[in-house]
Amino acid sequence: MLTKLKSTYADGLLKVIGEDGRIRTTFQNLVTATGRLSSTEPNLQNIPVRTELGKLIRKAFVPADGDHILVDADYSQIELRVLAHMSQDETMCKAFNEDSDIHTITAAQVNGIPPEMVTPQMRSSAKAVNFGIVYGISDFGLARDLGIPVYEAKKYIASYFKQYPGVENFVKELVAKAKEKGYAETLLGRRRYLPELTSPKYMIRQFGERVA
């Protein structure tokens, strides 16, 4: 850990400081298969934060002067908002339109209780399912993430889709379209080709469906 911090960050970042004392990265959108922006030469997207020493590396990044500030911003539940928009599931759209906490709402509906009775543990499980569904999680994957038996995870996913039928239909349509066309597509038309969907191997086909 210490060697990595020293070579990659302490020594590595010192080497790329420009004449004006600044470090500049290059953002690229054609490197990852998903289209996620990647930062290169140097990679400024994975500056460590989980260890105390790692946090000290982050402290080395400071505004240019008193007229500037560094802003840390994050979209709130962006994947689920995109899912609500694309699937047009009524319950999910209603939750976002009313500015409700989507994880609490999901926990309440899946467990058949009012939102005020949802425990932190229930919300945490619902959060794992909410984000897991977006990325095609399997009952085995959910069971592993939540530390519960597979049959329970299967029941949880079935209950989730019962509450959000628009999401279930949307996910099924995505996979069907990808099988038909050979690729999945974003809202703006970016394609990801999926040869895995025609693989003779079941596990590879399942991976293709999750990617789709």
Side-chain angles (χ1 to χ4, degrees), residues 105-196:
I105 294 293
T106 298
Q109 291 177 338
V110 169
N111 290 289
I113 57 174
E116 56 272 15
M117 286 180 67
V118 170
T119 65
Q121 179 58 46
M122 285 177 180
R123 186 183 181 278
S124 181
S125 296
K127 186 174 180 178
V129 179
N130 270 331
F131 284 114
I133 295 292
V134 179
Y135 297 110
I137 200 165
S138 65
D139 42 16
F140 291 101
L142 183 63
R144 187 189 61 232
D145 289 354
L146 295 182
I148 59 175
V150 174
Y151 75 88
E152 260 189 54
K154 201 170 191 168
K155 213 161 71 176
Y156 207 121
I157 291 173
S159 182
Y160 177 95
F161 280 138
K162 196 175 170 188
Q163 297 303 328
Y164 298 118
V167 172
E168 183 175 30
N169 292 334
F170 172 66
V171 170
K172 283 179 178 171
E173 275 175 30
L174 283 182
V175 175
K177 279 183 192 169
K179 283 179 177 173
E180 183 190 323
K181 296 179 176 179
Y183 59 82
E185 205 170 15
T186 67
L187 273 171
L188 297 177
R190 182 191 177 98
R191 293 180 184 179
R192 176 166 179 177
Y193 285 87
L194 296 166
E196 296 91 346

Side-chain angles (χ1 to χ4, degrees), residues 85-127:
H85 172 76
M86 291 183 80
S87 69
Q88 285 299 297
D89 180 272
E90 285 183 24
T91 307
M92 195 171 274
C93 287
K94 183 171 182 280
F96 279 121
N97 286 332
E98 292 176 354
D99 219 12
S100 304
D101 175 20
I102 191 74
H103 303 313
T104 299
I105 294 293
T106 298
Q109 291 177 338
V110 169
N111 290 289
I113 57 174
E116 56 272 15
M117 286 180 67
V118 170
T119 65
Q121 179 58 46
M122 285 177 180
R123 186 183 181 278
S124 181
S125 296
K127 186 174 180 178

